[in-house]
Amino acid sequence: MAEADTGARAPTRALDRRVLWFVPLCWSLFQLWIASPLPYELGVLVVNNAQARSIHLAFAVFLAFSAFPTTTRGPRHAIPVRDWAMALLGAFCAGYLFLFWDGLAARSGAPTSADIGFACLGVVLLLEAARRSLGFPLMAVAAVFLSYVFFGSWEGLPDMIRWRGASVERAMSHFWLTSEGVFGVALGVSSGFVFLFVLFGALLNQAGAGNYFLSLAFAALGHLSGGPAKAAVIASAATGLISGSSIANVVTTGTFTIPLMKKVGFSAAKAGAIEVSSSINGVLTPPVMGAVAFLMTEYVGIPYIEVVRAAIVPAAISYVALLYIVHLEARKMGMTGTLRTGALRFILAAVLSVCGGIVAGGGILWATGMIVDLLRASLGEMALPVLVALFLAAYVAALRHAAQRPDLEMSVSGMEHLPPAREILQTGLHFLLPILLLMYLLMIERKSPGFSAFWSAAFMLLVLFTQRPLKLWFRNQGGIAEAACAGWTEMLEGLIAGARNMIGLACAMAVAGIIVGSVTLTGIGQVMAEFVEYLSGGNLMLMLVFVALISIVLGMGLPTTANYIVVSSLMAGVVVELGAQNGLIVPLVAVHMFVFYFGIMADVTPPVGLASFAAAAISRGDPLKTGFQAFFYSIRTALLPFLFIFNTDLLLIDVSWAHALAIFIVAMIAMLVFAAGTMGWFVTRSRLWESAALVLVALTLFRPGFWLDRFAPEWTAEPPVAIFGLASNAPADASLRVGLEGDTIGGRHVSSIFLLPLGPAGDDGAARLSQAAGLDLMARDGQVVVDMIAFGGPAEKLGIDFDWRVTHVDMENERLPKELFYLPAFLLLGLVAAIQRRRL
């Protein structure tokens, strides 16, 4: 854990120890300071976003050189002079924007030789800092992109990817002195709120919440067949709230779950694979998603609540399916628990637990919002102090309740002799309050992520400082002063742990900025689209498969956030562009979810499945076997992105609550049937044709429109001149699917389908297109061409240009509901179940 996240160096010299204690503490305090209202209230140490990013990276680079040795054989008990020099020089280069802010602003666009020199040095030291804290893969990817920036004009490169190249001055200015490269959106998100979420998780873990969630999962499921494996799934879901890293999830929960899984009969490879699959799902689960949820709001441009709504159904059904896979694995191995549970009963219990948890959480948040609104209406300005007092009173009451029971101890052997789940639940109710506060601020009050994480982390500092002395006071025991000192120490250790957990992540975000800057500087994103189009031969499914494979390769060895930044920057536009060329218009959030899912699969997939390697280190199994087994268990996760590209209902986009519930139920059944088909076990062991039939049933339930499209196409192409009549007759706030082709200013020919908004009803078609879409069309020489594009309008943002011509207009066909194909699917499912029951 230390080698991966916080740095393996543990110096013995007093000065070195103090530096690695004091600097991370200062970093955490700085991040809390700039997130608080105090700088603006007091007018002290006010920094803008760009300056904050510079200071943030300076801390990260300094700690990367001081906390991480140069190599695995490097000195760990002292910081060498060379590392001191590189740490100080790296921090100076990273802080260059802050230190020389006024001078850089005065000579914007005309950097001096010193500016370029320190930018070059900063890039090199940043790459080395990333190598130390994260390993070779991310540095190698960034180095490839940098090479392309400087040597893209080399004649040995294929014509498809060749470009004119950039000078050192232009490139370094772009990467280091503007907001287009290292100090761009990614590092801004890291500085603005990712640090605070990592700190919040570290403080929760320091307080004992990780042990609480793990113990609760084991107490609830440990008595079932394959109980430790099922507990690993639930524990990783809970730990995902804290860590947001698949590798950290594996190390945190796997230390306890993997040995217990081996003890009840799972092989080393399967025990590690179950933990890996569970941990991957923890990263894909809202509300944090490894901080990717907040990055997605910036890159996609939608509210945070929309990201959570899009991610919740895939994550929920994937978790239930993994529980079912574990159950089937236990059945195949003949495992029994102290309480035998049939497959159907277990499935119902799992589904009800997941649904109940979602409904209960949503209900608590809704009820809390109603109470807050009532108090605001009745108390006015006095509502805030009353609410704070009530919240603190709830915390004290929860601690008093917890003090009536013994504290939980954390050990592998202790997991086998836990008290009932109800008793464990009551020992840590106070751990749920900061999570409730975070979710309430994010989802009910709709506050910014930084604001929400700041107040949640501030409350966690209070919890760490007070929980020990208050418990002793409620138990009428002595030693309260000593407990307060211990709480103060734990609070400081939590602040230090949070900062050290951020070293690699901050470096990764900065290096990801180099990759993003290379994309914007060179236009390599368009080259990637042409490359994938060439490989797929224009076939839509092959195109998605190649994008998935490239996303896995790009994500190898990268932490979650850097992984998402890289794959979304390079591959999201590819899916949007090539999908539109094939008549598939996909919402941007679905595209980003697609590439994110496959980027995260790199943590599973050999040969660079870091989560699989971490699990194998604990299980003492073969890393490659563990990786392949984990990939087999994660097939259901790999299936989901393809499904919500073709059926965006799974992401709850533009659906009612009743429709959302129906989608959830059908998708859950489909995923469970798919798991049974791939595991070769349904009611009993399946024959080959039965497994194939189950997979066919699952795919039909997931995408019934596939079969309907074979009989009745969804769209009919109308002639271009029909666009004005169709736009005029369309209802209010509708959209029109229009095929357009033409050449861009850069000379590239485009032929694609665009979704144009129409706005309010009432005007003629040409006026609606002009006002709502920013697109003026005119009939000329028997064609309909683009006459004018409104600056900043939807048409310009979609990439439409002057003099493009309309090729066709899509009109939706009237056809039978696609849900009719559920009937034959369920009949086939019933037939397989009946045949298997006869073999029991």
Side-chain angles (χ1 to χ4, degrees):
M1 185 75 172
E3 290 180 3
D5 286 343
T6 61
R9 187 168 278 158
T12 54
R13 289 189 307 191
L15 176 62
D16 295 350
R17 279 204 317 273
R18 288 170 183 167
V19 166
L20 290 183
W21 186 91
F22 183 71
V23 174
L25 179 63
C26 289
W27 191 9
S28 288
L29 293 176
F30 166 74
Q31 295 291 160
L32 289 171
W33 174 263
I34 63 173
S36 74
L38 292 176
Y40 305 98
E41 295 289 338
L42 302 177
V44 178
L45 296 178
V46 179
V47 294
N48 60 37
N49 289 335
Q51 292 172 324
R53 296 173 190 181
S54 180
I55 298 171
H56 177 80
L57 184 59
F59 274 114
V61 171
F62 179 88
L63 288 171
F65 284 107
S66 56
F68 290 85
T70 308
T71 64
T72 55
R73 296 182 179 180
R76 301 190 178 199
H77 302 295
I79 303 176
V81 175
R82 178 194 61 216
D83 285 356
W84 273 113
M86 295 175 75
L88 293 172
L89 187 57
F92 177 81
C93 293
Y96 195 80
L97 260 67
F98 170 73
L99 296 172
F100 302 99
W101 178 259
D102 293 334
L104 288 170
R107 57 180 180 270
S108 178
T112 64
S113 299
D115 296 339
I116 300 301
F118 282 114
C120 292
L121 192 58
V123 168
V124 172
L125 290 173
L126 174 60
L127 292 177
E128 169 60 14
R131 185 199 64 80
R132 290 189 181 210
S133 56
L134 297 164
F136 187 72
L138 182 59
M139 174 191 172
V141 172
V144 169
F145 277 89
L146 280 174
S147 300
Y148 181 68
V149 167
F150 292 116
F151 307 111
S153 59
W154 179 48
E155 294 181 357
L157 291 175
D159 291 339
M160 178 184 292
I161 64 173
R162 194 184 306 164
W163 84 298
R164 65 180 181 276
S167 65
V168 173
E169 180 177 331
R170 181 188 176 196
M172 290 301 107
S173 178
H174 183 80
F175 288 134
W176 205 259
L177 303 178
T178 71
S179 60
E180 297 293 324
V182 169
F183 300 98
V185 173
L187 194 63
V189 171
S190 176
S191 171
F193 43 82
V194 170
F195 186 102
L196 296 173
F197 277 93
V198 171
L199 178 62
F200 175 68
L203 294 174
L204 260 177
N205 197 49
Q206 185 75 26
N211 179 36
Y212 170 69
F213 292 134
L214 184 59
S215 300
L216 190 60
F218 266 92
L221 299 174
H223 59 283
L224 302 176
S225 59
K230 293 169 182 173
V233 177
I234 300 301
S236 292
T239 308
L241 290 171
I242 298 174
S243 69
S245 163
S246 59
I247 301 169
N249 279 4
V250 168
V251 175
T252 303
T253 61
T255 304
F256 301 93
T257 60
I258 290 175
L260 290 173
M261 280 190 271
K262 290 176 65 178
K263 189 172 183 178
V264 299
F266 285 96
S267 67
K270 288 186 177 180
I274 290 170
E275 179 58 48
V276 170
S277 299
S278 307
S279 300
I280 290 295
N281 270 38
V283 176
L284 300 174
T285 304
V288 178
M289 298 167 62
V292 166
F294 310 109
L295 279 167
M296 207 172 283
T297 63
E298 298 289 330
Y299 282 101
V300 180
I302 60 175
Y304 166 79
I305 193 71
E306 296 294 329
V307 175
V308 171
R309 187 166 67 178
I312 190 67
V313 168
I317 64 176
S318 190
Y319 258 119
V320 173
L322 183 56
L323 281 171
Y324 185 47
I325 286 172
V326 170
H327 183 78
L328 293 177
E329 196 71 76
R331 290 284 303 276
K332 289 166 67 176
M333 298 171 65
M335 293 182 184
T336 58
T338 57
L339 178 65
R340 289 187 60 85
T341 306
L344 182 59
R345 182 179 297 180
F346 175 76
I347 291 170
L348 289 174
V351 173
L352 290 175
S353 297
V354 171
C355 295
I358 295 172
V359 172
I364 291 172
L365 290 175
W366 177 82
T368 304
M370 294 294 291
I371 294 171
V372 170
D373 289 342
L374 181 63
L375 288 174
R376 283 173 176 165
S378 57
L379 299 178
E381 294 182 356
M382 287 298 297
L384 182 59
V386 170
L387 286 169
V388 172
L390 288 174
F391 187 74
L392 293 177
Y395 164 64
V396 173
L399 263 182
R400 181 176 182 181
H401 198 66
Q404 298 172 7
R405 291 158 181 80
D407 295 332
L408 294 172
E409 298 296 333
M410 196 168 187
S411 68
V412 174
S413 59
M415 291 294 169
E416 300 181 81
H417 308 286
L418 289 170
R422 181 176 297 180
E423 291 188 20
I424 293 179
L425 177 64
Q426 296 175 34
T427 64
L429 289 174
H430 57 291
F431 292 136
L432 303 179
L433 289 175
I435 298 174
L436 173 65
L437 176 63
L438 177 65
M439 293 300 96
Y440 173 78
L441 292 174
L442 281 171
M443 304 184 73
I444 304 299
E445 293 287 341
R446 306 289 179 92
K447 299 295 185 182
S448 69
F451 179 93
S452 305
F454 167 75
W455 287 109
S456 301
F459 178 64
M460 274 310 307
L461 292 174
L462 177 66
V463 171
L464 277 166
F465 181 62
T466 60
Q467 65 172 348
R468 286 177 178 269
L470 282 176
K471 280 186 177 181
L472 290 177
W473 186 61
F474 287 129
R475 291 168 178 166
N476 295 318
Q477 297 176 350
I480 293 179
E482 292 81 357
C485 291
W488 176 261
T489 302
E490 284 190 344
M491 185 178 69
L492 295 179
E493 291 298 328
L495 290 169
I496 293 168
R500 293 192 65 163
N501 283 337
M502 268 299 298
I503 299 171
L505 190 54
C507 291
M509 302 283 253
V511 173
I514 293 177
I515 298 170
V516 174
S518 300
V519 173
T520 58
L521 185 62
T522 64
I524 187 65
Q526 182 56 45
V527 174
M528 292 293 291
E530 294 174 357
F531 177 67
V532 172
E533 184 179 19
Y534 172 76
L535 288 178
S536 62
N539 182 280
L540 181 60
M541 185 56 68
L542 277 179
M543 179 268 291
L544 292 174
V545 170
F546 281 123
V547 168
L549 293 175
I550 294 172
S551 297
I552 291 175
V553 172
L554 290 172
M556 287 181 175
L558 305 188
T560 304
T561 45
N563 188 324
Y564 167 71
I565 294 167
V566 172
V567 296
S568 63
S569 300
L570 288 173
M571 304 312 300
V574 175
V575 178
V576 171
E577 181 174 342
L578 298 184
Q581 291 178 13
N582 287 270
L584 180 67
I585 299 178
V586 186
L588 195 55
V589 66
V591 175
H592 279 250
M593 290 285 287
F594 180 90
V595 296
F596 173 51
Y597 263 60
F598 281 106
I600 290 301
M601 287 297 292
D603 284 349
V604 177
T605 312
V608 195
L610 297 185
S612 298
F613 285 6
I618 298 170
S619 70
R620 303 186 185 279
D622 183 89
L624 291 180
K625 288 183 179 178
T626 302
F628 284 118
Q629 186 68 52
F631 182 77
F632 175 71
Y633 287 151
S634 301
I635 287 177
R636 81 216 179 282
T637 305
L639 174 69
L640 281 169
F642 287 98
L643 296 173
F644 53 62
I645 282 289
F646 291 104
N647 183 10
T648 56
D649 288 350
L650 288 172
L651 300 181
L652 305 184
I653 297 175
D654 297 329
V655 298
S656 64
W657 284 107
H659 191 192
L661 180 61
I663 290 167
F664 178 78
I665 293 171
V666 173
M668 185 72 72
I669 295 171
M671 184 56 76
L672 294 174
V673 173
F674 181 79
T678 54
M679 290 295 293
W681 190 288
F682 187 36
V683 178
T684 185
R685 191 175 299 277
S686 299
R687 292 168 179 161
L688 185 59
W689 75 267
E690 291 172 340
S691 294
L694 291 174
V695 171
L696 180 64
V697 168
L699 296 179
T700 300
L701 294 177
F702 271 125
R703 196 189 169 203
F706 173 82
W707 302 109
L708 185 58
D709 291 343
R710 308 283 77 79
F711 301 102
E714 185 177 4
W715 304 98
T716 299
E718 299 292 329
V721 293
I723 187 172
F724 300 109
L726 291 173
S728 178
N729 297 328
D733 299 320
S735 297
L736 205 60
R737 284 171 54 101
V738 180
L740 290 159
E741 70 173 7
D743 295 325
T744 65
I745 295 177
R748 185 172 64 90
H749 185 76
V750 175
S751 178
S752 190
I753 294 177
F754 299 89
L755 200 63
L756 302 177
L758 294 176
D763 293 324
D764 64 83
R768 293 183 72 180
L769 287 166
S770 177
Q771 294 171 8
L775 183 69
D776 289 339
L777 300 175
M778 64 176 295
R780 186 173 65 196
D781 299 330
Q783 296 181 336
V784 178
V785 298
V786 176
D787 183 53
M788 188 66 67
I789 300 287
F791 178 75
E796 186 196 39
K797 293 179 180 178
L798 288 171
I800 300 172
D801 216 332
F802 295 98
D803 291 329
W804 285 17
R805 68 182 185 88
V806 177
T807 57
H808 65 277
V809 185
D810 285 337
M811 183 175 179
E812 191 170 7
N813 283 329
E814 293 185 6
R815 55 183 191 165
L816 295 171
K818 61 185 179 182
E819 288 77 14
L820 284 176
F821 287 90
Y822 289 159
L823 182 59
F826 282 121
L827 287 175
L828 181 57
L829 179 63
L831 176 62
V832 174
I835 292 173
Q836 290 199 357
R837 278 189 170 277
R838 294 181 63 181
R839 295 206 304 268
L840 288 176

